[in-house]
C-alpha cells in the first residue's frame, strides 16, 4: 500500500467566513478530523500536498498519516467536498482510525484481462462493467489499495458477481454480509444489440445464399 502523509495545523478561526478567507489565502484547505473517541478538531491542510494526493486513486482507500501541529495521527478520508464548477477543494473530513476496530471503506475495483476476454475476443460480445468499487469491512491493517477481478475467461451470457472477487484475509463484503440475495452483478458480457433492420438484412443475405 502507498504511504500518504499530509501536514495540517489546528484551525482557530471558525465559521463559513473564516473558511472562505482561508481558501482565499490559497495555502490551505479547511477540514476536520474526528473519531476514536476524541473531540473533533478543525484543521487546515497544506494545499499543495493535498492537491497532489487527491490525483492518486489509492489516496481514497489508504491509511493516511496526518501531522497536525507536529502530532501524527492515522486517518482515512470520510468526505471530500469540491467547488461545483471550479477545480477547487473546499473542505475535507478525516476519520481517526483505531487499529483494533474495523473500518468500512469503498475500495476501487480493477477489472483485469479485458483484452483477453473470451466473450469479447472470440465471441464478439460486449463487456459491461457494472461496478467500479466495492464496500468492504476490515481492520485497518488489512485494508487493500484496490481489488482485482479477472475477466479473461468470461464468456457471452455470463456474469461475475461480488462473490467472485477475492478479498484479503479478514475482509468481508458489506453487501454480502446481508445475505446471498445481495450478491450483485459486477461485470458481464452480452451479445451486441442488433437492430431489427440489420437482422432482416442478415436473414435476407442468408436466404439469397441458399
Amino acid at each position: 500500500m502507498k504511504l500518504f502523509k499530509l501536514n495540517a495545523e489546528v484551525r482557530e478561526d471558525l465559521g463559513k467566513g473564516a473558511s472562505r478567507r482561508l481558501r482565499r489565502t490559497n495555502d490551505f484547505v479547511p477540514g476536520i478530523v474526528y473519531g476514536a473517541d476524541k473531540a473533533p478538531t478543525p484543521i487546515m491542510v497544506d494545499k499543495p500536498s493535498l492537491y497532489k494526493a487527491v490525483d492518486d486513486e489509492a489516496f481514497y482507500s489508504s491509511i493516511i498519516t496526518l501531522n497536525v501541529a507536529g502530532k501524527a495521527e492515522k486517518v482515512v478520508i470520510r468526505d471530500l467536498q469540491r467547488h461545483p464548477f471550479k477545480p477547487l477543494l473546499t473542505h475535507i473530513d478525516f476519520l481517526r482510525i483505531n487499529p483494533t476496530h474495523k473500518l468500512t471503506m469503498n475500495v476501487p475495483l480493477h477489472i483485469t484481462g479485458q483484452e483477453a476476454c473470451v466473450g469479447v475476443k472470440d465471441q464478439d460480445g460486449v463487456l459491461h462493467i457494472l461496478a467500479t468499487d466495492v464496500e468492504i469491512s476490515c481492520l485497518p491493517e488489512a485494508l487493500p489499495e484496490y481489488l482485482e477481478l479477472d475477466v479473461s475467461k468470461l464468456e457471452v451470457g455470463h456474469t461475475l458477481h461480488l462473490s467472485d472477487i477475492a478479498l484479503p484475509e479478514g475482509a468481508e463484503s458489506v453487501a454480502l454480509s446481508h445475505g446471498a440475495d445481495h450478491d450483485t452483478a459486477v461485470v458481464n458480457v452480452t451479445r451486441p444489440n442488433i437492430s431489427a433492420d440489420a437482422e432482416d438484412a442478415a436473414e435476407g443475405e442468408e436466404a439469397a445464399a441458399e
Side-chain angles (χ1 to χ4, degrees):
M1 179 176 288
K2 293 183 180 179
L3 301 177
F4 293 94
K5 295 182 179 180
L6 295 174
N7 293 321
E9 298 293 334
V10 176
R11 186 159 44 100
E12 305 290 351
D13 193 10
L14 305 179
K16 291 184 178 180
S19 294
R20 286 194 294 269
R21 288 192 296 272
L22 180 63
R23 286 190 289 268
R24 281 199 296 269
T25 66
N26 212 34
D27 294 324
F28 297 95
V29 175
I32 192 167
V33 56
Y34 61 92
D37 298 323
K38 296 180 181 179
T41 303
I43 59 173
M44 48 188 188
V45 185
D46 175 64
K47 181 178 178 179
S49 58
L50 178 59
Y51 272 59
K52 181 179 179 180
V54 297
D55 285 337
D56 193 324
E57 176 193 59
F59 181 65
Y60 301 90
S61 57
S62 294
I63 306 300
I64 303 160
T65 299
L66 182 66
N67 292 305
V68 181
K71 183 179 180 181
E73 294 191 281
K74 297 295 184 181
V75 300
V76 293
I77 291 180
R78 266 298 175 252
D79 188 42
L80 182 62
Q81 298 173 23
R82 300 176 184 269
H83 193 280
F85 56 87
K86 295 181 181 179
L88 300 174
L89 304 178
T90 58
H91 196 274
I92 186 166
D93 292 4
F94 293 103
L95 174 69
R96 300 183 184 99
I97 65 168
N98 185 324
T100 63
H101 291 183
K102 285 189 173 184
L103 284 170
T104 298
M105 297 283 291
N106 280 50
V107 176
L109 178 63
H110 290 181
I111 305 299
T112 64
Q114 295 186 52
E115 293 183 358
C117 179
V118 173
V120 176
K121 183 179 179 182
D122 301 329
Q123 300 172 342
D124 297 323
V126 177
L127 181 72
H128 302 278
I129 297 174
L130 309 175
T132 56
D133 56 38
V134 179
E135 188 178 27
I136 68 170
S137 175
C138 65
L139 290 174
E141 64 180 13
L143 182 65
E145 184 177 313
Y146 58 85
L147 301 170
E148 286 188 344
L149 183 61
D150 183 10
V151 298
S152 59
K153 297 180 180 179
L154 191 62
E155 299 182 2
V156 166
H158 289 208
T159 300
L160 294 178
H161 297 79
L162 283 173
S163 57
D164 294 305
I165 302 172
L167 299 179
E169 184 177 355
E172 65 174 345
S173 162
V174 173
L176 291 179
S177 69
H178 297 299
D181 56 334
H182 292 269
D183 191 11
T184 56
V186 173
V187 61
N188 63 23
V189 178
T190 64
R191 295 194 182 281
N193 291 325
I194 302 177
S195 67
D197 290 342
E199 290 181 349
D200 291 342
E203 290 176 359
E205 290 176 1
E206 291 177 359
E210 293 174 357

